[in-house]
Amino acid sequence: MSTPPADYRNQPFESLSPGVFRASTIVFDSYEDFVARKSRQPDGFSYGVTGTPTHRELEGRIAALEGASHCVVVPSGQAALVSAIMPFVKSGDHILISDACYGGLKAFAGDWLARLGVDVDVYPADIGSDIASYILPSTRMICLESPGTVSMEMPDVPKIAAEARRRGILTMMDNTWASPLGFQPLLHGVDMSIEAATKFFGGHSDLLMGAISTNDFTLYEKLREAQATLGLAVSADDCFLVSRGLETFPLRFAEQGRRALEVAQWMRHHPVVDRVLFAALPDDPGHTIWKRDFTAAGCLFSFVLKPAPEQAVAAFFNALKVFSIGASWGGTHSLIAFYPAGIQKARRFPPTDQPIFRVSIGLEDTQRLIADLEHGFEQYAGHRPV
């Protein structure tokens, strides 16, 4: 007589891989639990939009990296930036954003918040304690990014945060460039640290996600409420992919940073290169601040070439074989993007009136990357006037 199969639900199971819990509807054991379901927030589970155990495990891992007590994941880095502002400002308030901040944040602040009656102003991207001259009695938040998204200026984050804290002004910082492995904003006085998990955390250019970390429980409650109110649901499968990406994140970050510095050092001596914008280089204007506060530089830097007609730019890009053309970064494949001169000229405090090229260094062999850029520079030089 055969033995009946064991009930799998009573069998031990452990895995090195986190479980994926997908859910829209969360069910409750009793009427009383259902009526009081909102009391489960911000950490518990009441509806799928605010997450499942898969989400909480990822949020806990990101919080630990940031030196934070709390984290909320949202569908993109842009969603994280918006979510870190919306719950905390209202009509009549004043906020400050960096002149070199991410374009999506600048558009949201300048167009959407302005229509809602929020007064938005920009400050120089390399500012420090002089931020005080931009603060008004109605200032409620200062948005930081270090370095600037394209032009790579380095602000003095501790001085800005200290000035804001002294006046009771909230601060948030887009920390995607350095990641928490290179800089921890919360330990330098910033209230909320923003990461585009799309970049380094995911690491493979195949998902979108953002994260907001904080040590302030009141801020955390409002961020979770904003997630529910704005419907910023995140896929459990994407949370799994980011959790998996975090397993190799320190190795990728260190290796991509090493290769980026090697490429940047080669590039700064090339005859068609006018400037390399990378704080890890000793001659960069932001190097002193970077060396004081940061422990790594990541894989992203920019450069300015000596002036040439548009045909030279096109020839340069079209000659590249190893670098892919794309505006994102942080993945294992090297990317290059172009930002026309008009973008800088439209800024209030532009560091250059020339086009900017931005590269993200991946995990390809460094000599292949340098040879690819060399070939592109040769084509660029061939289209410059003698």
Side-chain angles (χ1 to χ4, degrees):
M1 185 174 180
S2 61
T3 303
D7 186 342
Y8 72 88
R9 290 168 295 186
N10 297 323
Q11 299 302 306
F13 177 81
E14 291 290 339
S15 172
L16 294 174
S17 179
V20 179
F21 293 86
R22 304 179 188 89
S24 59
T25 301
I26 309 297
V27 296
F28 300 82
D29 291 336
S30 67
Y31 162 80
E32 289 80 8
D33 284 345
F34 182 74
V35 170
R37 63 191 180 279
K38 288 190 177 180
S39 66
R40 293 186 174 191
Q41 298 300 344
D43 286 316
F45 310 104
S46 60
Y47 193 67
V49 73
T50 56
T52 70
T54 307
H55 298 73
R56 294 295 176 272
E57 180 167 339
L58 175 60
E59 289 171 340
R61 293 186 68 179
I62 294 174
L65 284 170
E66 297 276 7
S69 301
H70 316 286
C71 176
V72 175
V73 293
V74 291
S76 67
Q78 172 69 357
L81 293 169
V82 171
S83 300
I85 298 175
M86 283 296 287
F88 308 110
V89 299
K90 63 184 185 305
S91 178
D93 287 345
H94 174 252
I95 72 167
L96 288 166
I97 63 173
S98 168
D99 190 40
C101 72
Y102 175 59
L105 174 60
K106 186 172 284 190
F108 170 71
D111 299 337
W112 295 71
L113 286 181
R115 274 190 269 146
L116 297 175
V118 177
D119 183 19
V120 178
D121 198 6
V122 298
Y123 60 85
D126 58 354
I127 206 166
S129 55
D130 287 347
I131 192 71
S133 63
Y134 292 85
I135 293 174
L136 304 177
S138 56
T139 303
R140 296 292 174 264
M141 178 175 281
I142 300 174
C143 303
L144 299 91
E145 182 168 352
S146 185
T149 293
V150 174
S151 45
M152 300 289 159
E153 301 96 324
M154 295 289 293
D156 194 323
V157 174
K159 287 185 178 179
I160 296 172
E163 188 65 32
R165 191 160 294 245
R166 188 174 70 83
R167 298 166 181 255
I169 297 170
L170 281 175
T171 51
M172 60 87 106
M173 177 177 160
D174 186 337
N175 189 49
T176 310
W177 179 82
S179 87
L181 298 184
F183 184 77
Q184 292 186 318
L186 304 183
L187 297 183
H188 289 80
V190 177
D191 294 305
M192 291 176 282
S193 178
I194 312 300
E195 305 284 353
T198 307
K199 310 295 196 299
F200 278 132
F201 289 0
H204 293 81
S205 307
D206 56 5
L207 59 89
L208 294 168
M209 193 179 298
I212 313 165
S213 299
T214 184
N215 279 316
D216 188 312
F217 184 76
T218 300
L219 298 182
Y220 173 52
E221 283 186 307
K222 290 184 177 181
L223 290 168
R224 188 69 79 193
E225 181 184 3
Q227 181 186 49
T229 302
L230 298 173
L232 298 174
V234 177
S235 161
D237 296 276
D238 284 347
C239 287
F240 169 81
L241 289 174
V242 173
S243 291
R244 187 169 67 176
L246 291 179
E247 297 292 330
T248 59
F249 168 43
L251 298 174
R252 288 185 285 105
F253 181 80
E255 187 60 24
Q256 288 176 246
R258 183 188 68 80
R259 297 177 190 218
L261 184 59
E262 188 175 340
V263 174
Q265 288 172 331
W266 166 81
M267 188 182 291
R268 63 197 284 249
H269 300 294
H270 198 281
V272 301
V273 176
D274 184 58
R275 292 173 58 194
V276 178
L277 310 174
F278 193 36
L281 295 175
D283 56 352
D284 187 90
H287 181 73
T288 300
I289 289 176
W290 173 80
K291 191 173 183 179
R292 183 194 70 192
D293 295 336
F294 289 68
T295 59
C299 70
L300 190 76
F301 67 89
S302 296
F303 59 94
V304 178
L305 296 181
K306 293 179 179 176
E310 186 176 350
Q311 301 95 304
V313 176
F316 166 70
F317 273 94
N318 293 333
L320 299 175
K321 302 300 182 185
V322 182
F323 281 87
S324 296
I325 302 172
S328 192
W329 56 273
T332 59
H333 298 281
S334 294
L335 296 171
I336 187 165
F338 178 71
Y339 299 88
I343 294 177
Q344 299 306 313
K345 291 177 180 178
R347 285 176 48 179
R348 185 171 168 187
F349 307 104
T352 179
D353 60 359
Q354 295 299 306
I356 293 179
F357 302 74
R358 190 182 72 179
V359 292
S360 172
I361 301 301
L363 291 175
E364 300 92 345
D365 177 75
T366 306
Q367 293 308 310
R368 286 186 67 216
L369 296 174
I370 289 175
D372 200 39
L373 290 168
E374 178 64 67
H375 180 57
F377 288 158
E378 289 173 359
Q379 302 306 307
Y380 184 87
H383 288 76
R384 291 188 69 218
V386 177

